[in-house]
Amino acid sequence: MTPLPLAGIRVIEFTHMVMGPTCGMILADLGAEVIKIEPPGGDKTRNLPGLGIGFFRSFNRNKKSVVLDITTPEGQATAKELAAQCDVVLENFRPGLMNKLGLNYASLSTLNPRLIYASHKGFLPGPYENRLALDEVVQMMGGLSYMTGPEGRPLRAGTSVNDIMGGMFGAIGILAALRERDSTGKGQEIQSALFENCVFLSAQHMQQFLMTQEPPPPMPSRVSAWSVYDVFTLANGEQLFIGAVSEKQWLTLCDVLERPDLAREPAFLTNAQRVAVRPVLLQRLGEILQHHVAAELSPKLEAAGIPYAPIMRPDQLVNDPHLKASGGLVPMQTDDGGSTEVVLLPLTLGGRRPGVRMPLAAIGEHTNEVLGQLRGL
């Protein structure tokens, strides 16, 4: 088999929760040897309850696990030895902790000038840099919650968007630094941050304000650019999103619904006219669609080229036929010897999906192997 693109790259990961582990998982999926350093007793993320119960399995595949107490002088010395033999260091601890432990970039780069050191924080350098942050904190600060919820009711996004994307941007920075190291021979420090990530997500709304001098309304209150772009309730209470974003799609939708009279109504002749009377149009469509069954309407919309989507829950995606057929949902052996299914990176490389290469590591499973190599045993 063709080697994965990061084969031969060695990474030591001092991370927990989501952002840092996501970065490490991306590098591991792409072929890097990623050594996850866990404290005695293991990463606490392994045992989170509730909404955090899936964190460890979702973001720590294809990694080796080494137990090391980096709060002790012996653990710090071993960590430095490992970093001296690695290409990349990842960390996402609270501001100042790695400095205190002597495991910051300034210290480790003296041992390994080729080292690329990626820190994942709440904020990039500036007035906020020493604040602690969480995904929900920066969603509130970065405009995302305001834009997501109805007016006066800011609402966080339904997943850890900034943690996950922050890990992605960390990986992008590392890939760029590896490329630069090929020509300079030197490593560098990379920083990725939750707040700046969230502001990047809000950039289009910021630009809208700069162009119009009018604060953009939250998405539920927005003036849509398209007349048909909404969720409709069908027969039996089923819901379906339907979008008609061109004149052709509008006419096609009228044909699919067997209502050519709608297309001929003077108030509905152009998209601009339909947007002007959008509440009336949506009410009319709602009255029509409540008599349609999703299982019958969906294939007609698909055949006609009309954008549509059922409203799916995450538990339903476990059996999504496209995910399974495209190889995006695959088995992984878990750290307790069982099995689960995991979602792969949303990309292909030369037609192949970077997949699961090793079971999810048990706590400290690779400690003897990795430290034995370090000491020549």
Side-chain angles (χ1 to χ4, degrees), residues 52-362:
I53 197 170
F55 283 1
F56 194 85
R57 288 185 177 183
S58 296
F59 305 113
N60 288 284
R61 64 171 172 260
N62 290 331
K63 301 177 185 179
K64 296 179 177 179
S65 172
V66 169
V67 167
L68 198 60
D69 188 352
I70 60 173
T71 66
T72 67
E74 296 79 12
Q76 292 160 17
T78 300
K80 289 178 181 178
E81 287 184 73
L82 276 172
Q85 297 184 7
C86 286
D87 299 282
V88 179
V89 166
L90 308 179
E91 68 92 10
N92 73 327
F93 292 129
R94 67 179 183 271
L97 179 61
M98 296 300 272
N99 288 7
K100 180 180 177 182
L101 298 176
L103 298 175
N104 56 327
Y105 175 68
S107 300
L108 298 182
S109 62
T110 60
L111 305 173
N112 181 1
R114 292 175 55 84
L115 184 68
I116 294 163
Y117 189 102
S119 290
H120 298 79
K121 300 298 183 186
F123 306 90
L124 293 181
Y128 303 158
E129 65 182 291
N130 291 317
R131 289 191 193 180
L132 293 178
L134 301 168
D135 203 307
E136 196 148 345
V137 168
V138 300
Q139 287 192 36
M140 300 294 172
M141 294 180 66
L144 183 58
S145 295
Y146 174 83
M147 292 302 299
T148 301
E151 191 121 9
R153 291 172 55 197
L155 184 67
R156 72 155 285 162
T159 188
S160 305
V161 285
N162 294 294
D163 278 314
I164 294 169
M165 286 189 64
M168 290 168 58
F169 278 112
I172 291 169
I174 290 165
L175 296 176
L178 286 168
R179 183 75 175 95
E180 187 171 347
R181 192 181 70 174
D182 289 341
S183 57
T184 67
K186 295 181 180 179
Q188 60 183 286
E189 185 172 12
I190 306 295
Q191 294 189 37
S192 175
L194 293 172
F195 175 66
E196 282 76 8
N197 183 87
C198 195
V199 171
F200 188 76
L201 290 173
S202 297
Q204 67 195 72
H205 304 305
M206 296 167 66
Q207 192 59 224
Q208 179 182 348
F209 166 72
L210 292 171
M211 294 175 71
T212 65
Q213 293 302 301
E214 295 180 4
M219 293 294 276
S221 306
R222 71 193 184 279
V223 177
S224 177
W226 301 286
S227 54
V228 183
Y229 201 77
D230 217 316
V231 175
F232 297 92
T233 300
L234 279 58
N236 305 316
E238 295 176 294
Q239 290 186 303
L240 204 66
F241 171 85
I242 301 174
V245 298
S246 70
E247 298 297 343
K248 181 180 178 181
Q249 287 180 356
W250 161 247
L251 295 175
T252 303
L253 177 62
C254 292
D255 287 340
V256 169
L257 297 178
E258 298 180 354
R259 292 296 302 268
D261 56 300
L262 285 178
R264 293 194 297 267
E265 286 200 25
F268 300 160
L269 291 178
T270 69
N271 182 65
Q273 289 176 294
R274 293 191 297 274
V275 168
V277 293
R278 191 167 185 265
V280 174
L281 175 62
L282 294 182
Q283 182 180 355
R284 293 276 298 277
L285 286 173
E287 291 168 354
I288 295 167
L289 286 163
Q290 68 180 341
H291 301 293
H292 286 262
V293 177
E296 297 174 358
L297 181 61
S298 295
K300 294 179 182 179
L301 293 172
E302 185 162 352
I306 300 294
Y308 78 97
I311 312 305
M312 302 294 288
R313 303 188 310 266
D315 59 283
Q316 294 173 313
L317 293 175
V318 170
N319 295 305
D320 184 274
H322 178 83
L323 279 179
K324 287 185 171 293
S326 66
L329 189 65
V330 300
M332 178 185 71
Q333 183 178 321
T334 56
D335 49 338
D336 58 6
S339 180
T340 189
E341 290 186 294
V342 292
V343 177
L344 298 184
L345 296 183
L347 56 81
T348 62
L349 298 171
R352 57 181 172 161
R353 295 290 292 265
V356 175
R357 293 183 287 110
M358 53 196 291
L360 186 68

